Amino acid sequence: MASPLTYPKAKGTTVNRYNNRATYDVKAIHSIVNESSVLHVAFAPDVEDPFPAILPMIGTMGSFDYPSAGLDEPLDCYLHGYVSSRIMRLAASSPQGLPVSIAATKVDGLVLALTPNANSYNYRSAILHGYASIVEKTEEKLWAMELITNSVVPDRWKNSRVPPDSAEMQSTKILRVKITAASGKVREGGPHDEAKDTTREDVTGSTWIGVVPVVEKLCEPIPASQNKIGELPNYIADYVADMNANAEAYALNAARLP
Amino acid sequence: MASPLTYPKAKGTTVNRYNNRATYDVKAIHSIVNESSVLHVAFAPDVEDPFPAILPMIGTMGSFDYPSAGLDEPLDCYLHGYVSSRIMRLAASSPQGLPVSIAATKVDGLVLALTPNANSYNYRSAILHGYASIVEKTEEKLWAMELITNSVVPDRWKNSRVPPDSAEMQSTKILRVKITAASGKVREGGPHDEAKDTTREDVTGSTWIGVVPVVEKLCEPIPASQNKIGELPNYIADYVADMNANAEAYALNAARLP
């Protein structure tokens, strides 16, 4: 069996602190991106300004050339945005692509230890570096729009009015980010206190320690007042149930690990 | 009554797209930061590198000079980190403070419309620009450590082993970010489709529309194997109950708005 693919380390993506929590595994990093409902995307500003630009975006990993590629294979990051936004203008004027840094973080639990210094979160985070270019080919753009729509709710694309009309195709831009380096960080388990506290009965006898698991929960869908469909379709109901079950299973398992 | 305070607009924080969703209101922006369990902080890299540095951090708004200041008053952003991390090194060597961009986003619902182009999220997001300096005064540092600890679980500080010992004080650094500009963006309500779809019975008759509310849920706390406290303390149980009730109330209300 081939070794799992890993991302190359770069100055800005190499994990130094708590590097036992680090991962460069392609599948782990792609999973964190795909399970995050929002990505934060940073890039150098186009004006004399010391502050990096940063904005929340929706995006997902995928391969147009090999659409059946798994999360453990090389993938691009596709981001969705509006035609006149700054990131789209900058990407359009960058022949090699606009350098962007993408961050995704999910909190899985509040880890409460005997002393604040040992408190932590259970979490999964990923940082990716890559070059963002506007997708020009209509076929790839439509494929990516479907991919991103279905990343929010699977099968939503074919269960709503498609394809986009020409006004919609013009107002929407898709960025394809070629990833050049990436890293992830995962923390799971209970609190890890030091002997200086665990040996003090006055401390252990007065301080509750453990994990408050955190999940992103999807609540019962609420139909719009204009909705004409009597019953919630199965593809939505099943997704809500599956997501909640998986999220809770992950967070509870992470909390129960040592 | 005085007008509510607002943040000045800057090139990188002025909202152009969907500016009816924009806010510069100090209280709204501070609330989004404080309700986000993780912030993403971006800054220019210290090496020849086209990619902004970006990392997840824990932080909260507060005023050391006026500790009783409300969320609608001028506040700094306090961030917590490890002494040898890159952001701490750069902040330590920046006499005017390290320029940082801080992003906080909470997803409150998946908004499903008749056509993918009209899909959206209900969300609250904030972008802040400011200058980050390391807190040197012990009194302010301890105050900020307590503030940040209690932002994760209120009253946790006094219910665990404090104060930090000298090794803990040395290994932990606190950044104070003086905010120079900021903006927020809030989307709530159901889907907004256009007449081209709402007038088509084949579309409205086959597409469920509405909102899947999303909440960050705190699950039943799980004691560590080493925990010696029989019953979960009220300050944790009450916090879990309050947070869940508030989060669900917010997301459901946002989903039911027009």
Side-chain angles (χ1 to χ4, degrees), chain A residues 41 43-44 46 57 79 82-100 130-136 173-177:
Chain A
V41 181
F43 50 98
D46 52 337
M57 295 184 84
L79 301 168
Y82 188 67
V83 58
S84 65
S85 60
R86 181 159 60 149
I87 191 170
M88 294 299 171
R89 282 191 288 104
L90 289 174
S93 61
S94 305
Q96 269 80 50
L98 176 71
V100 298
Y131 291 88
S133 303
I134 290 178
V135 172
E136 302 287 1
K173 292 284 180 191
I174 301 287
L175 288 174
R176 179 188 52 247
V177 185

Side-chain angles (χ1 to χ4, degrees), chain B residues 110-252:
Chain B
L110 318 177
V111 182
L112 302 177
L114 292 172
T115 192
N117 190 63
N119 285 351
S120 189
Y121 278 164
N122 282 336
Y123 68 95
R124 290 164 281 167
S125 73
I127 306 291
L128 299 85
H129 287 178
Y131 290 88
S133 304
I134 290 178
V135 173
E136 303 287 1
K137 275 188 300 184
T138 301
E139 195 192 355
E140 182 178 0
K141 185 172 177 179
L142 278 168
W143 172 86
M145 291 165 91
E146 179 169 352
L147 184 77
I148 292 169
T149 300
N150 289 343
S151 78
V152 177
V153 175
D155 288 338
R156 181 65 188 176
W157 182 265
K158 70 179 182 197
N159 284 291
S160 53
R161 194 271 292 158
V162 287
D165 64 26
S166 64
E168 292 162 355
M169 289 297 282
Q170 279 183 354
S171 67
T172 301
K173 292 284 180 191
I174 301 287
L175 288 174
R176 179 189 50 247
V177 185
K178 291 274 174 207
I179 306 301
T180 55
S183 65
K185 221 165 160 184
V186 177
R187 200 268 183 214
E188 47 193 20
H192 297 159
D193 282 295
E194 294 182 44
K196 65 186 173 189
D197 289 310
T198 57
T199 54
R200 276 180 59 179
E201 282 188 19
D202 61 324
V203 172
T204 61
S206 64
T207 312
W208 185 91
I209 57 171
V211 178
V212 183
V214 177
V215 295
E216 194 171 61
K217 180 189 162 198
L218 303 181
C219 305
E220 187 70 32
I222 297 178
S225 56
Q226 323 90 287
N227 173 57
K228 300 276 196 287
I229 309 294
E231 202 172 332
L232 185 70
N234 283 340
Y235 72 95
I236 302 177
D238 291 349
Y239 177 64
V240 168
D242 289 353
M243 283 290 282
N244 287 337
N246 291 341
E248 192 155 315
Y250 183 92
L252 296 186

Side-chain angles (χ1 to χ4, degrees), chain A residues 17 37 40 52 82 101 105 113-115 117 121 156 161 165 168 196-197 208-209 211 213 215 217 219 222 224, chain B residues 17 37 40 52 82 101 105 113-115 121 156 161 165 168 196-197 208-209 211 213 215 217 219 222 224:
Chain A
R17 171 74 171 152
S37 45
H40 282 117
Y82 188 67
S101 301
T105 303
L114 292 171
T115 191
N117 190 64
Y121 278 165
R156 181 64 187 176
R161 194 271 292 158
D165 64 25
E168 290 162 356
K196 65 185 173 189
D197 290 309
W208 185 92
I209 57 171
V211 177
V215 295
K217 181 189 162 198
C219 306
I222 297 178
Chain B
R17 171 74 172 152
S37 45
H40 282 118
Y82 188 66
S101 301
T105 303
L114 292 172
T115 192
Y121 278 164
R156 181 65 188 176
R161 194 271 292 158
D165 64 26
E168 292 162 355
K196 65 186 173 189
D197 289 310
W208 185 91
I209 57 171
V211 178
V215 295
K217 180 189 162 198
C219 305
I222 297 178

